[in-house]
């Protein structure tokens, strides 16, 4: 199900503000925050693994979107919300990253992507340009 259970809402109300208190310290270094929805590899009534993958993609996307919506509306402040609008995304992963059981595979994960990748790419590109100019 993509519906957030009451006990999980309570966990999110406690977790997300603490999460944001850490994240807020590193805003300038964060490219994006992704809430990923995951699913098991089963789908009752699916006629093939392809159908199961597609149906679970929708389920996992709705799961992630509902968690993102809940956290954004119930566990953030005005300034955080404005910043999150530029970096917060939800993503449905279907069953592409299975865990060791069906129950554990049905989950939501929070990921932070930093700007380090872009910084490293810029450094590498600059060095390549220097090498190319030196070779001419």
């Amino acid at each position: 199900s993509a519906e957030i259970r009451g006990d999980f809402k309570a966990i999110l109300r406690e977790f997300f503000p603490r999460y944001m208190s850490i994240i807020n310290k590193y805003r300038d270094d964060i490219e994006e925050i992704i809430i990923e929805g995951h699913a098991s590899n089963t789908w009752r009534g699916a006629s093939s693994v392809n159908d199961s993958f597609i149906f679970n993609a929708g389920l996992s996307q709705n799961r992630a979107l509902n968690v993102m919506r809940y956290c954004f509306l119930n566990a953030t402040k005005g300034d955080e919300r404005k910043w999150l609008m530029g970096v917060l995304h939800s993503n449905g992963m279907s069953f592409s990253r299975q865990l060791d059981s069906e129950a554990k595979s049905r989950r939501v994960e929070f990921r932070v992507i930093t700007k380090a990748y872009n910084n490293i790419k810029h450094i590498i590109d600059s060095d390549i340009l220097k090498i190319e100019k030196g070779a001419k």
Side-chain angles (χ1 to χ4, degrees):
S1 171
E3 185 177 330
I4 303 173
R5 296 184 323 257
D7 58 337
F8 191 53
K9 287 180 181 179
I11 291 168
L12 289 172
R13 277 193 310 272
E14 184 179 322
F15 162 76
F16 203 71
R18 289 188 296 149
Y19 182 74
M20 287 305 300
S21 71
I22 295 167
I23 295 295
N24 283 330
K25 297 175 189 176
Y26 303 99
R27 281 187 184 189
D28 292 340
D29 298 316
I30 294 175
E31 186 77 30
E32 57 187 321
I33 299 169
I34 305 168
I35 299 177
E36 289 181 347
H38 297 267
S40 68
N41 62 354
T42 59
W43 187 276
R44 279 183 241 141
S47 59
S48 69
V49 70
N50 295 337
D51 286 346
S52 182
F53 180 78
I54 296 301
F55 296 148
N56 277 305
L59 171 63
S60 61
Q61 178 59 44
N62 288 335
R63 188 173 282 160
L65 181 60
N66 287 342
V67 169
M68 183 181 83
R69 181 183 297 118
Y70 186 82
C71 290
F72 184 81
L73 295 175
N74 297 289
T76 59
K77 300 176 267 189
D79 180 50
E80 286 175 338
R81 285 183 183 176
K82 185 176 179 181
W83 178 73
L84 284 170
M85 286 179 192
V87 298
L88 185 62
H89 309 280
S90 64
N91 191 19
M93 302 296 291
S94 191
F95 55 77
S96 62
R97 293 187 186 149
Q98 289 291 287
L99 297 181
D100 60 358
S101 75
E102 283 188 24
K104 289 180 182 177
S105 294
R106 298 176 187 126
R107 68 195 189 279
V108 173
E109 294 183 1
F110 291 75
R111 290 191 183 273
V112 174
I113 307 298
T114 66
K115 293 179 181 176
Y117 171 79
N118 288 336
N119 293 340
I120 290 169
K121 184 177 181 326
H122 177 72
I123 291 167
I124 290 170
D125 289 347
S126 294
D127 286 345
I128 289 172
L129 186 60
K130 288 177 188 173
I131 290 169
E132 288 174 352
K133 284 184 177 180
K136 290 182 179 180

